[in-house]
Amino acid sequence: MTAPYKAPLRDMEFLFFELFDGAAISELEGYEDAEPETVKAILEEAAKFAENVYLPLNQSGDAQGCRLENGVVTVPDGFKEAYAQFREAGWNSVTEDPEYGGMGLPYSVSIMISEMWASSNQSLAMYAGLTHGAAKAVSARGTDEQKALYLPKFADGSWSGTMCLTEAQCGTDLGLIQTKAAKNDNGSYSITGTKIFISAGDHEMTDNVIHLVLARLDDAPAGIKGITMFVVPKYRINDDGSIGERNGVSTGAIEHKMGINGNATCVINLDEAEGYMVGTENKGMQAMFVMMNSARLGTGLQGIAAGEQSYQGAVAYAKDRIQMRSLTGPKSPVQKADPIIVHADVRRMLLTMRAYTEGTRALTYWIAQELDHHSKNPDAERREEADDLASLLTPVIKAFNTDVGFESTNHGVQIFGGHGYISEHGMEQFVRDARIAQLYEGTNGIQALDLVGRKMHMHGGRLMKRFFDPLRSYLETESQNVEMSEFITPLSTAFKHLEQATGWIASNAPKNPDHLGGASVDYLRIFGLVSVGYMWARMAKLSMANQDSEDFYRAKIKTARFYMQKLLPQTESLLTSLQAGSDSLMDYDEAYF
Amino acid sequence: MTAPYKAPLRDMEFLFFELFDGAAISELEGYEDAEPETVKAILEEAAKFAENVYLPLNQSGDAQGCRLENGVVTVPDGFKEAYAQFREAGWNSVTEDPEYGGMGLPYSVSIMISEMWASSNQSLAMYAGLTHGAAKAVSARGTDEQKALYLPKFADGSWSGTMCLTEAQCGTDLGLIQTKAAKNDNGSYSITGTKIFISAGDHEMTDNVIHLVLARLDDAPAGIKGITMFVVPKYRINDDGSIGERNGVSTGAIEHKMGINGNATCVINLDEAEGYMVGTENKGMQAMFVMMNSARLGTGLQGIAAGEQSYQGAVAYAKDRIQMRSLTGPKSPVQKADPIIVHADVRRMLLTMRAYTEGTRALTYWIAQELDHHSKNPDAERREEADDLASLLTPVIKAFNTDVGFESTNHGVQIFGGHGYISEHGMEQFVRDARIAQLYEGTNGIQALDLVGRKMHMHGGRLMKRFFDPLRSYLETESQNVEMSEFITPLSTAFKHLEQATGWIASNAPKNPDHLGGASVDYLRIFGLVSVGYMWARMAKLSMANQDSEDFYRAKIKTARFYMQKLLPQTESLLTSLQAGSDSLMDYDEAYF
């Protein structure tokens, strides 16, 4: 049995076209093809593909996992065929550059599609997802020759890509990378080292696997400023572009892990593997960040996807499973007990899942449209504004989405009771699969440090003003609107907490940087709660104007109300904890632990 | 590799003898043998056994799991031998009645030992744990003949026991049980039905498996008042007590589940199995609760055990793993990076784990001593007081301990970063194993309903007064003590939140019972936070008096400080959420979900 999943198309269209300005996206030069009707048609096709091709392999892929035998990685049954269908349907090419065979759709459209892939089968989705990251790096930093060689293959999915960053001794701290790159006479490099935790690291689903590898040149400076990016194919590529002999790249092991078992997480051994520099010597970290920012939003998306998937499973169960009577008397007297959806606490869990999922979806889709403006808007000031907002909110989206997504999957299990713990129902897989998103692409603690340590002060606080000023104006304007007061009053309170938290950090961190580290995670959560609260207020307002037309809008208003009453108040306690500072953390002798 | 585990003997002795009055326990009639030196010696032996016999099988047991082949259940390699050693060492008999071969140790001693079993190998520990539950039921409700037959076998571990409650259509709602019992001419009963989720349900480690089964007599009234308890052995027992032929009991399947893979969770088919009534017709629920209350505390213990185990793994890693520099400059300049324990956020996670683990341990050990007074104290008033406290706090201990225990195991994974997700390190197993404790023995939502719906009003609020009055006096007395103000001020605030939450429920639930259900989980968490806060204040005070003698006490004071500053403030937001009521939950059309 696989938990049900229907792509939330109505919510996607609501956000893309109604809450945000999807029509304006198709007016940007280069995105002319993304007309509303086209976007809707693409979303419908993606939904069918996710529901019919990806979803049926989600649970079996988890149960079966990947194998490494005689140096060959085998993915779960059905994955290879599904990936071939995916390729044939052209889904690899969605956002790739039309110059190299891509469809060139806006990022804000692709993210809706990617959400469906992740909800229906996160492990399988990651093979194409990583390829897209590799394409971004080559596209941004590669030579014209590299682009011509790799990008068409990434766009048609015949080759896949990976990101090879982590080594046993370094994850967060990439300055500790030891993989070496020695220059060859022909201009290529010999790369030697061992990379670990390489998602989609090896498989036989594509003709080649192209690794983007961070390594250190012989004479490179120590630390983070001595890292260079290389492209290292699994099979060498002949001059005519055909597949040549095996490069010095092999899979040393597949990791056994908590979840995403359908994705081959590999140890990749590089043994004088032939590679080619991407971008400039010792500027590998910058090249890597091109992939990383997009990967962080993509990871945030996985939090939404997990929440959606688990919510749908939990709602179906809560309507079907009968157990106990409602505290206010039987609601289904013909049955021996009431469906558990009558119980207040079951509703609390369902609404928590829903309010987080739809709220983080709104936040993420908003920023995705901003990124499209950043790419294509003719107005330089508008581009800068969009970039500022996206830079500021990327760590929030990565960490907050995945934290609440993980919480949601746990509520999903709890609603199932003991049955939630049994693999058959699929609910526990969502927990295990969702857990990785809090860890990879920079742990959520690192996201919090990025927010308070970098983004907060960047350009003299300009990024913060981009978010705070419009929100402040919004609250001022809407505070005049009596109908909106049930949303605006709690949001204003939470926003005040965010301002106080910001002020506390601004006054205290300069005195003691540990205050920054100690406050960071609480701060990011306040930021996430307020950002999502802002989305819920806007969604409620728009829905009030339309509430006579559809249940959809009436449900939105009620979910917004729940969020304001039951979830947003967390900011209060978080502020108290944050303001307590870091002395209780740092003034604790290491020997006492 | 297995995560390290050393039994926290110093903390156990601190709680048992110093914070609470372990010496007074040995003065109770029947517990004379539990002299301090004896207790310490037993704890040391148990620690060795847990560390040397149980622990090495924890990770391999998870990886291997149980199998069902040709009707025979096989446990992981090494479990049978370890269980045999456990039996031979006499550990099964710890709390069993001396009249039937038990050691008759106080419950408050046994709980410390059980914690070590659960930390070192929860799956393996459950086989003996369930047997103990079965022994309690037979002891409380069985005939003299049944006691003489079963109790010595349970005490020496040659037979094991199970609790067969759940069926596919009923978990929480046992009134829906369909298993039938028909009276035979010889006074026995023929039991037919299918039970699911039977922990330790079948295996070959003991000569017999004795099932305590809830079933319905032919003429039983519908619902919960028509349930009777039966004892149903896997093998019939001959008149001379020897093992006879197979009874109509078979294992239909072993569940595949998220964790506790070393424990065989069975579907048990009863096909005209011969059984014997335990206790009275149609009073099976009362007999079941004898097992259940003890099982709930035992489950709460698993939350502590998981937190301890994960904390020890995380501390070892945080001191060893080097990554990045401290924000205040290098702390280990000879290394290429600092150990991650220098980072404020890593410390926040470690201290969260520690403060919850040690705090819930204190709460649980306190109530365990109260239960011993309930059993043996000659003063009827003292017995009643003890029973009141234990009844009130059992749902809190079950739910709060396991919620924060699960949170702790997730912090443990997060501290490991990506390595936490990899099975090899063992940290992700703790998450999967800990997750069950929030679900079984009554989900944590059911515990919350038990607290607000039953315990709060029991005996006209007498249980609540037993807890609130002494705590109020304590806060009043200690508020005079300047040295204690850093602990007493936040605890008084949190206690006020608890009082306000209690008042809100008292005024609103009578108007609308859904307010009870909607508030229950927030309320239980406030209750847990305050109870554990009370423990931390008491631990801090005692430790201040001894702080010159040992690091142990100095660490306690600092952990108490952390708890008050960083964790206890949660009560504030929980109160706001609770006071928002349940309208946002219930006024949400079912069709909108």
Side-chain angles (χ1 to χ4, degrees):
Chain A
M1 181 177 32
T2 302
Y5 172 70
K6 286 282 166 196
L9 293 177
R10 182 68 190 88
D11 200 40
M12 290 176 169
E13 290 174 9
F14 165 76
L15 296 174
F16 190 80
F17 294 114
E18 300 173 50
L19 189 67
F20 308 122
D21 193 357
I25 300 292
S26 63
E27 285 160 19
L28 296 170
E29 196 182 324
Y31 289 156
E32 297 85 352
D33 292 347
E35 287 176 355
E37 289 314 308
T38 310
V39 170
K40 286 182 192 176
I42 292 173
L43 292 180
E44 281 170 23
E45 283 308 307
K48 282 184 213 157
F49 195 92
E51 294 162 11
N52 300 329
V53 182
Y54 267 29
L55 183 67
L57 299 171
N58 192 35
Q59 212 168 350
S60 58
D62 175 63
Q64 195 179 11
C66 299
R67 305 196 300 284
L68 173 66
E69 280 167 358
N70 304 319
V72 176
V73 174
T74 307
V75 295
D77 292 346
F79 273 36
K80 189 165 183 171
E81 294 74 14
Y83 182 81
Q85 276 184 264
F86 188 87
R87 273 191 60 195
E88 281 155 27
W91 292 118
N92 288 86
S93 71
V94 166
T95 51
E96 305 306 335
D97 191 337
E99 198 182 331
Y100 299 102
M103 289 170 67
L105 282 176
Y107 179 68
S108 57
V109 174
S110 79
I111 209 167
M112 297 190 279
I113 300 172
S114 297
E115 186 197 309
M116 301 186 218
W117 307 150
S119 269
S120 55
N121 198 324
Q122 183 180 338
S123 290
L124 181 45
M126 285 170 64
Y127 292 97
L130 271 291
T131 303
H132 175 65
K136 278 206 82 155
V138 172
S139 182
R141 304 281 161 163
T143 62
D144 287 344
E145 211 182 346
Q146 288 171 337
K147 290 183 197 176
L149 179 59
Y150 296 109
L151 296 183
K153 300 293 193 183
F154 288 151
D156 74 9
S158 54
W159 296 356
S160 67
T162 80
M163 294 162 63
C164 294
L165 281 52
T166 305
E167 300 178 6
Q169 78 289 352
C170 63
T172 297
D173 193 350
L174 292 173
L176 302 176
I177 279 178
Q178 290 173 357
T179 295
K180 292 280 179 202
K183 193 161 188 173
N184 300 326
D185 293 341
N186 66 357
S188 71
Y189 293 81
S190 275
I191 320 275
T192 300
T194 300
K195 294 289 180 176
I196 67 166
F197 299 170
I198 309 308
S199 295
D202 196 10
H203 54 82
E204 302 287 307
M205 296 193 291
T206 53
D207 299 333
N208 209 348
V209 179
I210 310 301
H211 302 286
L212 286 162
V213 178
L214 295 186
R216 194 178 284 288
L217 290 165
D218 288 339
D219 55 352
I224 209 82
K225 289 176 179 166
I227 307 289
T228 305
M229 181 179 277
F230 299 89
V231 59
V232 183
K234 174 178 170 184
Y235 294 100
R236 290 166 199 266
I237 300 154
N238 298 323
D239 289 343
D240 63 357
S242 63
I243 297 294
E245 60 189 18
R246 185 74 180 243
N247 199 354
V249 178
S250 60
T251 298
I254 292 186
E255 302 289 358
H256 294 277
K257 42 195 202 302
M258 185 178 188
I260 54 166
N261 290 322
N263 198 276
T265 305
C266 299
V267 175
I268 298 288
N269 294 322
L270 301 160
D271 185 13
E272 300 195 349
E274 194 171 73
Y276 309 91
M277 192 185 292
V278 178
T280 321
E281 255 179 48
N282 300 330
K283 301 286 183 196
M285 289 303 290
Q286 291 166 24
M288 193 273 293
F289 266 107
V290 171
M291 293 194 284
M292 197 52 116
N293 277 327
S294 141
R296 286 180 173 177
L297 284 174
T299 306
L301 206 62
Q302 291 174 347
I304 305 168
E308 177 68 40
Q309 194 180 25
S310 186
Y311 173 78
Q312 292 196 25
V315 165
Y317 190 76
K319 288 182 174 178
D320 181 62
R321 172 78 170 176
I322 61 166
Q323 207 78 177
M324 310 298 286
R325 290 295 181 191
S326 160
L327 294 179
T328 56
K331 295 289 173 286
S332 178
V334 295
Q335 292 184 290
K336 286 188 174 175
D338 289 329
I340 62 172
I341 202 165
V342 305
H343 303 307
D345 189 57
V346 170
R347 289 170 162 252
R348 182 188 61 80
M349 292 189 279
L350 286 173
L351 285 169
T352 299
M353 299 169 83
R354 181 164 181 157
Y356 279 144
T357 301
E358 294 181 7
T360 52
R361 180 180 290 132
L363 183 66
T364 308
Y365 287 13
W366 171 38
I367 293 305
Q369 288 200 0
E370 290 298 303
L371 280 170
D372 285 329
H373 284 287
H374 170 55
S375 299
K376 306 282 189 192
N377 199 293
D379 176 357
E381 165 65 16
R382 182 72 186 84
R383 286 202 302 276
E384 185 187 270
E385 179 198 4
D387 189 35
D388 285 353
L389 277 169
S391 297
L392 180 68
L393 284 162
T394 293
V396 176
I397 288 171
K398 195 281 180 181
F400 185 76
N401 287 17
T402 60
D403 282 346
V404 300
F406 181 70
E407 288 170 37
S408 289
T409 60
N410 274 296
H411 288 306
V413 164
Q414 200 68 23
I415 289 166
F416 271 66
H419 294 271
Y421 201 68
I422 306 298
S423 306
E424 182 189 357
H425 298 284
M427 300 301 287
E428 61 89 27
Q429 183 190 343
F430 303 153
V431 175
R432 290 183 293 103
D433 286 357
R435 187 66 182 84
I436 187 60
Q438 299 171 288
L439 298 164
Y440 63 13
E441 308 306 341
T443 65
N444 286 359
I446 289 297
Q447 305 302 321
L449 272 184
D450 180 44
L451 178 64
V452 299
R454 291 181 63 236
K455 303 297 169 62
M456 191 185 269
H457 310 289
M458 207 177 258
H459 300 300
R462 193 182 74 202
L463 279 58
M464 294 285 277
K465 277 176 65 70
R466 296 280 193 199
F467 180 77
F468 276 59
D469 289 353
L471 176 48
R472 201 177 285 115
S473 310
Y474 176 82
L475 291 170
E476 275 167 24
T477 309
E478 293 300 335
S479 65
Q480 312 301 318
N481 183 345
V482 179
E483 271 202 314
M484 281 292 287
S485 70
E486 62 169 315
F487 308 107
I488 297 305
T489 305
L491 183 58
S492 299
T493 303
F495 182 61
K496 201 183 302 157
H497 296 153
L498 178 59
E499 289 182 310
Q500 288 173 282
T502 309
W504 189 92
I505 291 176
S507 346
N508 290 280
K511 292 180 230 161
N512 177 358
D514 280 326
H515 282 322
L516 203 69
S520 58
V521 166
D522 284 338
Y523 184 78
L524 185 144
R525 190 158 177 114
I526 297 174
F527 210 117
L529 286 161
V530 169
S531 311
V532 166
Y534 179 31
M535 295 297 108
W536 272 117
R538 289 176 58 182
M539 290 193 278
K541 178 158 188 188
L542 181 58
S543 297
M544 286 199 287
N546 292 287
Q547 61 183 307
D548 294 336
S549 67
E550 261 181 80
D551 276 357
F552 177 84
Y553 296 108
R554 294 188 282 275
K556 276 280 179 221
I557 296 166
K558 291 186 174 187
T559 311
R561 188 171 290 146
F562 169 83
Y563 183 83
M564 298 299 171
Q565 292 185 12
K566 292 289 192 181
L567 299 179
L568 189 57
Q570 289 169 70
T571 55
E572 203 174 350
S573 292
L574 289 163
L575 177 64
T576 305
S577 162
L578 182 150
Q579 289 177 331
S582 64
D583 291 347
S584 67
L585 308 170
M586 304 315 296
D587 179 27
Y588 199 98
D589 307 42
E590 193 177 315
Y592 292 1
F593 279 101
Chain B
M1 181 178 32
T2 302
Y5 171 71
K6 287 281 167 195
L9 294 177
R10 182 67 190 89
D11 201 39
M12 290 175 168
E13 290 174 9
F14 165 76
L15 295 175
F16 190 81
F17 293 113
E18 300 174 49
L19 189 67
F20 309 121
D21 193 357
I25 300 291
S26 62
E27 285 161 19
L28 296 169
E29 196 182 324
Y31 290 155
E32 297 85 352
D33 292 348
E35 287 176 354
E37 289 315 307
T38 310
V39 170
K40 285 181 194 177
I42 291 173
L43 293 179
E44 280 169 24
E45 283 307 307
K48 281 184 213 157
F49 195 92
E51 294 162 12
N52 300 329
V53 182
Y54 267 29
L55 183 67
L57 299 172
N58 192 33
Q59 211 169 350
S60 58
D62 176 63
Q64 195 179 10
C66 300
R67 301 197 304 284
L68 172 66
E69 280 167 358
N70 304 320
V72 176
V73 174
T74 307
V75 296
D77 292 347
F79 273 36
K80 190 165 184 171
E81 294 74 14
Y83 183 80
Q85 276 185 264
F86 188 87
R87 273 191 60 196
E88 281 154 28
W91 291 118
N92 287 86
S93 70
V94 166
T95 52
E96 306 305 336
D97 191 337
E99 199 180 331
Y100 299 102
M103 289 170 66
L105 281 176
Y107 180 68
S108 56
V109 174
S110 79
I111 209 166
M112 297 190 279
I113 300 172
S114 297
E115 186 197 309
M116 300 186 219
W117 307 150
S119 269
S120 55
N121 198 324
Q122 184 180 337
S123 291
L124 180 46
M126 284 170 65
Y127 292 97
L130 271 293
T131 303
H132 176 64
K136 278 207 82 154
V138 171
S139 182
R141 304 281 162 163
T143 61
D144 287 345
E145 210 182 347
Q146 287 171 338
K147 290 182 196 176
L149 178 59
Y150 295 109
L151 296 183
K153 300 293 192 181
F154 288 151
D156 74 9
S158 55
W159 296 356
S160 66
T162 80
M163 293 163 63
C164 293
L165 282 51
T166 305
E167 300 179 6
Q169 77 290 352
C170 62
T172 297
D173 193 351
L174 292 173
L176 301 176
I177 278 177
Q178 290 173 358
T179 295
K180 292 280 180 204
K183 194 162 188 173
N184 299 325
D185 292 341
N186 66 356
S188 70
Y189 292 81
S190 274
I191 320 274
T192 300
T194 301
K195 294 288 180 177
I196 67 168
F197 298 170
I198 308 308
S199 295
D202 195 10
H203 53 82
E204 304 286 308
M205 296 193 292
T206 53
D207 300 334
N208 208 348
V209 180
I210 310 301
H211 302 285
L212 285 161
V213 178
L214 294 187
R216 193 178 284 288
L217 290 164
D218 288 339
D219 54 353
I224 210 79
K225 291 179 178 164
I227 307 289
T228 304
M229 181 178 278
F230 299 89
V231 59
V232 184
K234 174 179 170 184
Y235 294 100
R236 288 166 201 265
I237 300 154
N238 298 323
D239 289 343
D240 63 356
S242 64
I243 296 294
E245 60 188 19
R246 185 75 180 241
N247 200 353
V249 178
S250 60
T251 298
I254 292 187
E255 302 289 358
H256 295 276
K257 44 194 200 302
M258 187 178 187
I260 53 166
N261 290 322
N263 198 277
T265 305
C266 298
V267 174
I268 298 288
N269 294 322
L270 301 160
D271 184 13
E272 299 194 350
E274 194 171 74
Y276 308 89
M277 193 184 293
V278 178
T280 321
E281 252 179 49
N282 300 330
K283 301 285 184 197
M285 289 304 290
Q286 290 166 25
M288 192 272 295
F289 266 106
V290 171
M291 292 194 284
M292 197 51 115
N293 277 327
S294 142
R296 287 182 172 176
L297 285 174
T299 306
L301 205 63
Q302 291 175 347
I304 305 168
E308 177 68 40
Q309 194 181 25
S310 185
Y311 173 76
Q312 291 196 26
V315 165
Y317 190 76
K319 288 182 174 177
D320 180 62
R321 172 77 169 177
I322 62 166
Q323 208 78 180
M324 311 298 286
R325 289 295 181 192
S326 160
L327 294 180
T328 56
K331 295 288 173 287
S332 178
V334 295
Q335 291 185 289
K336 286 189 174 175
D338 289 329
I340 61 172
I341 202 165
V342 306
H343 303 306
D345 189 57
V346 170
R347 288 169 162 252
R348 183 188 61 79
M349 292 189 279
L350 287 173
L351 286 169
T352 299
M353 299 169 84
R354 181 165 180 156
Y356 278 144
T357 301
E358 294 181 6
T360 52
R361 180 180 290 131
L363 183 67
T364 308
Y365 287 12
W366 172 38
I367 293 305
Q369 289 198 1
E370 289 298 304
L371 280 170
D372 286 328
H373 284 286
H374 170 55
S375 300
K376 306 281 188 193
N377 200 293
D379 175 356
E381 165 67 14
R382 182 71 186 85
R383 286 202 302 276
E384 184 186 270
E385 179 199 5
D387 190 34
D388 285 353
L389 276 170
S391 298
L392 180 68
L393 283 163
T394 294
V396 176
I397 288 171
K398 195 281 180 180
F400 185 76
N401 286 18
T402 60
D403 282 346
V404 301
F406 181 69
E407 288 170 38
S408 290
T409 60
N410 274 296
H411 288 306
V413 164
Q414 200 69 23
I415 288 166
F416 270 66
H419 294 270
Y421 201 68
I422 306 298
S423 306
E424 182 189 357
H425 298 284
M427 300 301 287
E428 61 89 28
Q429 182 190 343
F430 302 153
V431 175
R432 289 184 292 104
D433 286 357
R435 188 66 183 84
I436 188 60
Q438 299 172 291
L439 297 164
Y440 63 14
E441 308 306 342
T443 64
N444 286 0
I446 290 297
Q447 305 302 320
L449 272 184
D450 181 44
L451 178 64
V452 298
R454 292 181 62 238
K455 303 296 169 63
M456 192 185 270
H457 310 289
M458 207 177 257
H459 300 301
R462 192 183 76 204
L463 279 58
M464 294 284 278
K465 276 177 66 70
R466 296 280 191 198
F467 180 77
F468 277 58
D469 289 353
L471 176 49
R472 201 177 287 114
S473 310
Y474 175 83
L475 291 171
E476 274 167 24
T477 309
E478 292 299 335
S479 65
Q480 312 302 318
N481 183 344
V482 180
E483 270 202 315
M484 280 293 287
S485 69
E486 63 169 317
F487 308 108
I488 297 305
T489 305
L491 182 58
S492 300
T493 303
F495 182 61
K496 201 183 302 157
H497 296 153
L498 178 59
E499 289 182 309
Q500 288 173 281
T502 309
W504 189 92
I505 291 176
S507 348
N508 290 279
K511 291 180 233 161
N512 177 357
D514 279 327
H515 282 324
L516 202 70
S520 58
V521 167
D522 284 339
Y523 184 78
L524 185 142
R525 190 159 178 112
I526 297 174
F527 210 116
L529 286 161
V530 170
S531 312
V532 166
Y534 179 32
M535 295 297 108
W536 273 116
R538 289 176 59 183
M539 290 194 278
K541 177 157 190 191
L542 180 59
S543 297
M544 285 200 287
N546 292 288
Q547 61 183 307
D548 294 337
S549 67
E550 261 182 80
D551 275 357
F552 177 84
Y553 297 107
R554 294 187 282 274
K556 276 279 179 222
I557 297 166
K558 291 186 174 186
T559 311
R561 189 171 290 146
F562 169 83
Y563 183 83
M564 298 298 171
Q565 293 185 11
K566 293 289 192 182
L567 299 179
L568 188 57
Q570 290 169 69
T571 55
E572 203 175 349
S573 292
L574 289 163
L575 177 65
T576 306
S577 164
L578 182 150
Q579 289 177 330
S582 64
D583 291 346
S584 68
L585 307 170
M586 303 315 295
D587 178 28
Y588 199 98
D589 308 42
E590 194 177 315
Y592 292 1
F593 279 101

